[in-house]
Amino acid sequence: MNRIPYIALAMLLLLTGCTKEEGETPLPSPPVVTMAGGSTILTTKAGRGIEIRPDYENADEALFCWELDGRQIGDGPTLRFSSDEPGSYFITLTVTNRGGGAELALRVDVLALAPPTITLPGADEGYTLLEGSTLELRPIIASTLETSCRWSVDGETVSTERDYAFAGYARGDYRVRLDARNEDGEDSVEFTVGVRSPEEVDFSWTFEQESYNVSKGRTIRLRAIEVEYAFDAEYVWSVGGTEVARGPQPEFAFTAETEGEFVVRAEMRNAYLTASHELRVHVCPEEGTYYRPQTGNARCDKVYEFLPAPGQFINEGYSAATMAEACAYAEGRLGQTAYVSLGGFGGYIVVGFDHSVDNDGGYNLAVTGNSFGDSSEPGIVWVMQDENGDGLPNDTWYELRGSEYGKPETLSDYAVTYYRPAEVGGDVPWRDNIGGSGTIEQNPFHRQSYYPAWVEAESYTLRGVRLESRSYDPSGNGSNWINPPFDWGYADNFSPIDRLTGGDNPNAAPQDNHFRISDAVTFDGRAANLKYIDFVKIQTAVNQSCGRIGEVSTEVLDVKDYNAIK
């Protein structure tokens, strides 16, 4: 059937029907809907409402429809929206009148609440303070928002600063509380400070080791660390029951003159008490007794210890519940020339060879890293000889001095204690032995826990040599961190001297730094004069966070006997 005449008739009737008669109301203009400032992305916090108020034109008699995921959630010109769940919510607003319609697409980002989190190491057990002295309280408060603080002692406000110095003027027990608050919530910590007289405080000390191995003819240092409440102490040292030294320092240089087992007694004496501790020293045969000849294998063949500091690559892509599992992971990575991250300051790895590495006066070791022009993450290299011949790295470590050795800004006895974060995946608090503190911060690129999974303790301490950081941000806004190199003598360092190669290495490819066993020094800075070594330790040497690129962390990809390949 020919339909054209009917279509034409329909069009004619429509046009006739749309012709305005005298006195008929004209159609309104279609609505126009916009957001002030032009942004269609709004932000709120979980559990909090947000009032969405668009700007309208020609909407006096309009109908409004707000939809979320195909479901109507409002029918007025404004919308009150809230959600308890963080995330992005896509909302569509449709406005219609007789003249037409308009649509506006909005996104509401609901952010998780970020109340402050207080970390104050030692607060769980409380503090003991000597009468007349001051306790410096420096909490680590994790907060992305402006945070106010309030310190109180026995209920009375004493400070609104973040840090607080508690003065122990009078003996007694005091209840101290810190409240931290921001717009998202609050946190608090409460603890006891006991102020005691000298007679009431407990002296304490710890020792680096309980037993030592040393070759005949060498001298090693025995010492106490983390000494507290020693006052005017005098330290008396005896070997085999015979006094050999006394003085104000808690250390003793033991010279291994004859082979055998020796009991060394350290005694602390002050006006209030006497404390003692026994150490054992095994004087081994002379150097060379346990030398192992070359095998032709240049690469290290075993990882004995792997204890990194917290960092963005720790626990990423691997699972280790014990030190043995962590060492197996690291050993597999080095076998593929793949990086093993040592995390922040003090993190270390210990490797060994299937032979002894000779000292010929030149470069004898190569440690593979991935430094490049603007990125050096230096690690101190230590070496050890298997002095007791048991095939384990339980003898004496000697530092290989580098260009920064002995400089005033280089700290030879620096220690950092890392604390398990309150939440899995949270920032890792740390405190050092010179009054500093901070956090290893999570970044958006690596969201796993940064605290080594095989460390069962709630905190652990790493001790070593700290180089002064050279890192800086020329952009001023945290977007362009530069980690300049040191001259020579460090792993994962873009050295102009010991890399022995040129080029900028822009792709961070594996490349070697080279080391001389002849640079090994004793605890007092003298040449160690080692004829060979069996074990190597590499340890992150800088304590520095660099914004979005994370902490400075030495990466190790291989350790080689350079004598076998040069």
Side-chain angles (χ1 to χ4, degrees), residues 118-120 123-124 139 151 176-180 187-191:
I118 302 172
T119 301
L120 185 59
D124 290 344
W151 290 92
V176 181
R177 180 183 174 95
L178 168 62
D179 294 285
D187 192 18
S188 64
V189 60
E190 190 169 345
F191 52 91

Side-chain angles (χ1 to χ4, degrees), residues 28 42 57 87-88 120 135 145 169 225 313 319 337 366 375 395 427 439 445 473 502 550:
L42 309 175
E57 297 178 22
S88 293
L120 185 59
L135 174 66
L145 305 172
Y169 294 122
I225 56 176
F313 299 112
S319 176
T337 318
S375 180
D395 305 287
D427 297 344
T439 58
F445 309 107
D473 172 27

Side-chain angles (χ1 to χ4, degrees), residues 8-19:
L9 177 61
M11 291 295 293
L12 178 61
L13 292 173
L14 181 61
L15 291 172
T16 303
C18 290
T19 302

Side-chain angles (χ1 to χ4, degrees), residues 148-360:
S148 63
C149 296
R150 174 182 176 270
W151 290 92
S152 60
V153 176
D154 292 338
E156 181 179 347
T157 299
V158 293
S159 175
T160 57
E161 299 296 324
R162 174 168 296 214
D163 297 342
Y164 172 58
F166 179 95
Y169 294 122
R171 290 179 62 255
D173 292 319
Y174 299 86
R175 201 65 186 164
V176 181
R177 180 183 174 95
L178 168 62
D179 294 285
R181 181 189 300 271
N182 64 23
E183 65 180 38
D184 281 358
E186 61 184 275
D187 192 18
S188 64
V189 60
E190 190 169 345
F191 52 91
T192 299
V193 177
V195 180
R196 302 287 183 262
S197 64
E199 296 88 347
E200 296 174 304
V201 296
D202 293 326
F203 165 78
S204 65
W205 55 358
T206 59
F207 287 80
E208 291 181 300
Q209 297 172 228
E210 292 297 312
S211 62
Y212 297 78
N213 299 309
V214 58
S215 294
K216 179 182 175 182
R218 291 183 176 154
T219 299
I220 57 173
R221 178 176 60 182
L222 314 180
R223 66 169 177 165
I225 56 176
E226 299 171 7
V227 179
E228 294 186 358
Y229 304 122
F231 305 119
D232 56 348
E234 179 180 52
Y235 298 90
V236 180
W237 299 83
S238 60
V239 178
T242 301
E243 181 180 320
V244 292
R246 67 169 58 210
Q249 299 302 321
E251 61 182 53
F252 167 58
F254 178 96
T255 299
E257 297 177 341
T258 58
E259 293 181 37
E261 300 284 344
F262 296 87
V263 175
V264 180
R265 181 182 176 88
E267 194 172 85
M268 187 285 301
R269 302 172 183 174
N270 63 24
Y272 308 101
L273 57 86
T274 297
S276 63
H277 192 85
E278 288 190 351
L279 306 170
R280 296 188 177 275
V281 179
H282 174 209
V283 178
C284 309
E286 293 180 347
E287 178 183 28
T289 302
Y290 301 112
Y291 174 84
R292 296 171 300 152
Q294 303 302 307
T295 62
N297 180 21
R299 304 181 72 176
C300 64
D301 72 333
K302 186 173 179 61
V303 174
Y304 292 88
E305 294 180 53
F306 173 44
L307 183 57
Q312 61 188 315
F313 299 112
I314 308 308
N315 303 319
E316 185 176 66
Y318 66 96
S319 176
T322 64
M323 174 64 79
E325 291 178 0
C327 289
Y329 156 77
E331 197 170 294
R333 295 281 292 180
L334 296 183
Q336 303 170 46
T337 318
Y339 76 83
V340 175
S341 175
L342 304 185
F345 172 82
Y348 69 88
I349 188 170
V350 176
V351 304
F353 299 88
D354 64 2
H355 62 278
S356 297
V357 180
D358 292 317
N359 176 12
D360 66 359

